[in-house]
Amino acid sequence: VNPKIAFAQILRMERNKQGLSQKEVADMIGLKNLYSYQRLESPKSANPALLTISKIKKIFPDLNLDLVV
Protein backbone atom coordinates (compact mmCIF):
# COMPACT_ATOMS: atom_id res chain seq x y z
CA VAL A 1 0.00 0.00 0.00
CA ASN A 2 1.18 3.50 -0.77
CA PRO A 3 2.47 5.13 2.46
CA LYS A 4 0.23 8.19 1.96
CA ILE A 5 -2.85 5.98 1.81
CA ALA A 6 -1.71 3.90 4.78
CA PHE A 7 -0.92 6.93 6.95
CA ALA A 8 -4.23 8.64 6.21
CA GLN A 9 -6.22 5.47 6.91
CA ILE A 10 -4.36 4.56 10.11
CA LEU A 11 -4.71 8.11 11.43
CA ARG A 12 -8.45 8.16 10.71
CA MET A 13 -8.97 4.76 12.35
CA GLU A 14 -7.03 5.79 15.47
CA ARG A 15 -8.96 9.07 15.77
CA ASN A 16 -12.28 7.23 15.45
CA LYS A 17 -11.16 4.63 18.00
CA GLN A 18 -10.49 7.45 20.49
CA GLY A 19 -13.87 9.03 19.71
CA LEU A 20 -12.35 12.37 18.73
CA SER A 21 -13.51 14.73 16.00
CA GLN A 22 -11.19 16.09 13.36
CA LYS A 23 -11.51 19.55 14.93
CA GLU A 24 -10.51 18.24 18.36
CA VAL A 25 -7.38 16.58 17.00
CA ALA A 26 -6.50 19.62 14.89
CA ASP A 27 -6.67 21.75 18.04
CA MET A 28 -4.56 19.26 20.02
CA ILE A 29 -1.88 19.26 17.32
CA GLY A 30 -1.97 23.04 17.14
CA LEU A 31 -3.03 23.37 13.53
CA LYS A 32 -4.44 26.75 12.54
CA ASN A 33 -7.48 25.39 10.75
CA LEU A 34 -9.47 22.22 10.28
CA TYR A 35 -8.54 21.96 6.61
CA SER A 36 -4.90 21.35 7.53
CA TYR A 37 -5.91 18.32 9.57
CA GLN A 38 -8.32 17.05 6.94
CA ARG A 39 -5.40 16.98 4.49
CA LEU A 40 -3.61 14.55 6.83
CA GLU A 41 -6.54 12.15 6.62
CA SER A 42 -6.78 12.45 2.84
CA PRO A 43 -4.83 9.80 0.91
CA LYS A 44 -4.32 12.30 -1.93
CA SER A 45 -2.65 14.96 0.20
CA ALA A 46 -1.28 13.26 3.32
CA ASN A 47 2.35 14.28 3.57
CA PRO A 48 3.05 15.20 7.20
CA ALA A 49 6.26 16.81 8.38
CA LEU A 50 8.25 15.02 11.08
CA LEU A 51 7.19 17.64 13.63
CA THR A 52 3.54 16.94 12.83
CA ILE A 53 4.10 13.18 13.12
CA SER A 54 5.73 13.76 16.50
CA LYS A 55 2.71 15.74 17.71
CA ILE A 56 0.33 13.06 16.42
CA LYS A 57 2.29 10.34 18.27
CA LYS A 58 1.90 12.31 21.52
CA ILE A 59 -1.87 12.34 21.06
CA PHE A 60 -2.07 8.74 19.81
CA PRO A 61 0.82 6.86 21.46
CA ASP A 62 -0.53 3.52 20.20
CA LEU A 63 -0.42 4.67 16.58
CA ASN A 64 1.65 2.04 14.78
CA LEU A 65 3.66 3.86 12.14
CA ASP A 66 5.42 0.63 11.18
CA LEU A 67 2.29 -0.18 9.17
CA VAL A 68 2.90 2.89 7.01
CA VAL A 69 6.33 1.94 5.69
Side-chain angles (χ1 to χ4, degrees):
V1 175
N2 182 312
K4 283 185 173 187
I5 295 170
F7 180 82
Q9 194 64 26
I10 290 169
L11 180 58
R12 179 177 297 133
M13 289 184 341
E14 188 65 28
R15 178 182 58 78
N16 286 332
K17 187 170 84 173
Q18 299 292 329
L20 297 170
S21 70
Q22 290 180 335
K23 178 69 174 149
E24 290 171 320
V25 177
D27 290 341
M28 290 177 183
I29 294 172
L31 296 174
K32 294 180 182 179
N33 55 51
L34 177 59
Y35 176 71
S36 296
Y37 180 78
Q38 289 172 333
R39 290 184 60 201
L40 293 173
E41 284 194 7
S42 171
K44 294 178 184 175
S45 60
N47 190 16
L50 288 175
L51 182 59
T52 303
I53 293 171
S54 174
K55 291 177 182 180
I56 290 170
K57 275 297 277 183
K58 287 179 184 176
I59 296 168
F60 303 120
D62 294 335
L63 187 72
N64 186 356
L65 295 176
D66 290 339
L67 299 173
V68 175
V69 290

